[in-house]
Amino acid sequence: MTGDSERAVQAAIDGEMRLLDPEVRASAALVLELLDPEFTEFGASGRRWDVESILAVTSAGTVSSESPVKVSEMSGVVLAPGVVHLTYFADNQGRRAWRSSLWRLTESGWRMYFHQATLTS
């Protein structure tokens, strides 16, 4: 990977980890800094999420700081200039899923454009 590619992947990883941080998730303002206005997610539940529905859940006080998501096997690749694809494994209190995110560079920085989680045993 080139220096620019490495920096892009690291910026996406940093954003992903911030979004998984319970303190960040509890703040609508911080979450909005990281989600693209056109954000879409297909959750492990099969539900389709957008920015408004994510904010409704995270701002409802349902995020526990005592049980952070455990992340492993994080990797990323630059798909095109300003677009990074991340994949990783997440364990959220025994609910285990492979996750995939697309991050894109905007005028205000790197933002998550798309996310998908697939449950695994």
Side-chain angles (χ1 to χ4, degrees):
M1 240 188 304
T2 68
D4 287 344
S5 293
E6 288 174 6
R7 283 187 291 279
V9 168
Q10 189 59 54
I13 289 172
D14 291 347
E16 190 83 37
M17 296 308 292
R18 284 190 67 214
L19 277 173
L20 292 170
D21 181 322
E23 289 184 26
V24 172
R25 293 178 66 82
S27 167
L30 293 176
V31 171
L32 281 173
E33 288 177 8
L34 295 165
L35 293 183
D36 191 275
E38 298 177 23
F39 170 80
T40 301
E41 174 178 338
F42 297 124
S45 64
R47 182 175 173 182
R48 183 178 183 274
W49 301 84
D50 59 15
V51 173
E52 292 79 23
S53 58
I54 289 290
L55 288 176
V57 169
T58 59
S59 65
T62 60
V63 178
S64 170
S65 61
E66 297 174 15
S67 302
V69 176
K70 295 180 182 96
V71 174
S72 61
E73 301 183 50
M74 178 80 73
S75 66
V77 63
V78 174
L79 297 179
V83 179
V84 171
H85 179 223
L86 297 180
T87 57
Y88 61 99
F89 185 78
D91 186 332
N92 187 2
Q93 301 176 15
R95 190 167 192 218
R96 300 159 37 103
W98 285 105
R99 295 186 177 196
S100 175
S101 301
L102 290 176
W103 287 78
R104 69 179 177 181
L105 184 58
T106 68
E107 290 179 6
S108 58
W110 286 94
R111 292 180 173 235
M112 184 186 284
Y113 175 75
F114 177 80
H115 184 78
Q116 181 168 357
T118 304
L119 291 178
T120 186
S121 54

